[in-house]
Amino acid sequence: MASHKGVVLLGHLFSPFDQRVRITLKEKGIEYEYKEEENLFKQKSELLLEMNKVHKKVPVLIHEGKPVCESLIIVQYIEETWPDKTPLLSSDPYQRAQARFWADFLDNKMYDCGTRIWKLKGEAQETAKKEMIEILQLLEMELGDKKYFGGVTFGYFDITFIPLTIWFYTYETFGNFKIREMIPKINEWAKRCMERESVRESLVEPEMLYNDICFLRKEIYGIE
């Protein structure tokens, strides 16, 4: 079994990608040192630039001096490195493939769509809002009557998705529309996830995130 020693996470408190990794580490019971990139948008640390030379962004997991980048890859690395601690992926190859498919779908569709909602206005924002509703309706259907997306056990795709749900308040506020009333099953699933200590301790309050995005829009992107 791999050692817990020498595990460091470079992250940012409000990053949903960072939150995925923190949830995973807590679920696995892995001790780690957390180093927050407080000035991520203005002055990245030398350690981050050294450990993620390609994308220069968080999260980065450093294990025994070696960096692993990109949140989904990091979660899978943790799963494979400590497989005996709270398995997050099914032993069934098809179920693992399904979980990875939906995680890829989420990262390729939802985050970008949400960013367009809080960054843009007018017709472009309306298009993004329609896309967001379509994405969430697909996920609502995929969840169905299951306790978690993978069945009865909290796992890989739940970890992938749950940090993005705290963005709903930001999307609704900037987009002036209602998301949560359209997805009752996802709402109940999110409540179940929030009962887990790993999730509660890793996510921020939706209002805190909204305030951070307001600051980001004005100070970094110059959007009034």
Side-chain angles (χ1 to χ4, degrees):
M1 183 179 71
S3 171
H4 293 201
K5 295 181 179 179
V7 178
V8 179
L9 176 62
L10 309 184
H12 188 273
L13 184 65
F14 294 100
S15 166
F17 307 107
D18 164 290
Q19 291 160 2
R20 289 173 179 172
V21 179
R22 283 189 277 140
I23 292 170
T24 302
L25 290 167
K26 289 177 184 296
E27 284 288 326
K28 292 279 190 179
I30 297 168
E31 297 179 2
Y32 66 99
E33 179 183 358
Y34 184 65
K35 294 188 176 182
E36 184 169 0
E37 290 287 321
E38 295 181 354
N39 297 315
L40 188 61
F41 297 99
K42 292 184 177 181
Q43 186 177 359
K44 298 176 181 180
S45 71
E46 292 184 7
L47 182 60
L48 175 61
L49 296 176
E50 178 187 353
M51 290 294 162
N52 192 348
K53 295 178 181 178
V54 176
H55 298 300
K56 303 177 177 63
K57 62 183 182 180
V58 297
V60 178
L61 184 79
I62 305 171
H63 183 209
E64 297 179 345
K66 297 178 289 187
V68 183
C69 306
E70 298 295 305
S71 65
L72 294 182
I73 294 172
I74 294 171
V75 171
Q76 292 181 59
Y77 174 85
I78 294 169
E79 173 75 348
E80 293 170 2
T81 304
W82 293 278
D84 58 324
K85 289 178 168 288
T86 315
L88 301 173
L89 279 162
S90 171
S91 59
D92 179 72
Y94 178 75
Q95 293 300 324
R96 289 200 302 273
Q98 286 295 101
R100 288 168 174 150
F101 168 83
W102 285 108
D104 182 71
F105 170 83
L106 202 67
D107 276 9
N108 284 320
K109 296 286 187 179
M110 187 173 172
Y111 187 74
D112 172 70
C113 182
T115 300
R116 285 185 281 127
I117 290 173
W118 63 260
K119 265 190 178 183
L120 305 178
K121 297 179 180 180
E123 186 176 343
Q125 187 189 64
E126 289 301 315
T127 299
K129 285 161 58 176
K130 290 178 183 177
E131 289 178 19
M132 177 63 71
I133 292 168
E134 290 173 358
I135 290 167
L136 290 171
Q137 287 175 338
L138 277 172
L139 292 169
E140 179 88 348
M141 291 174 59
E142 174 61 20
L143 176 60
D145 295 324
K146 300 190 294 289
K147 183 177 181 180
Y148 296 108
F149 275 90
V152 297
T153 305
F154 181 76
Y156 178 75
F157 184 70
D158 303 296
I159 290 171
T160 302
F161 187 14
I162 192 60
L164 291 173
T165 62
I166 63 170
W167 286 75
F168 290 169
Y169 177 77
T170 294
Y171 301 155
E172 289 177 329
T173 305
F174 282 112
N176 192 29
F177 72 132
K178 298 296 182 183
I179 291 176
R180 285 165 287 191
E181 64 187 27
M182 303 178 189
I183 49 171
K185 292 179 179 179
I186 288 177
N187 288 335
E188 291 303 312
W189 160 83
K191 290 177 184 177
R192 285 192 291 274
C193 291
M194 287 299 294
E195 292 173 357
R196 304 184 73 85
E197 183 178 342
S198 65
V199 176
R200 272 197 320 275
E201 292 184 353
S202 299
L203 304 188
V204 299
E205 291 296 325
E207 293 79 8
M208 287 180 60
L209 175 62
Y210 170 75
N211 291 335
D212 187 67
I213 293 300
C214 288
F215 174 83
L216 199 63
R217 274 169 51 98
K218 183 177 180 180
E219 300 297 327
I220 304 299
Y221 296 107
I223 304 171
E224 295 293 341

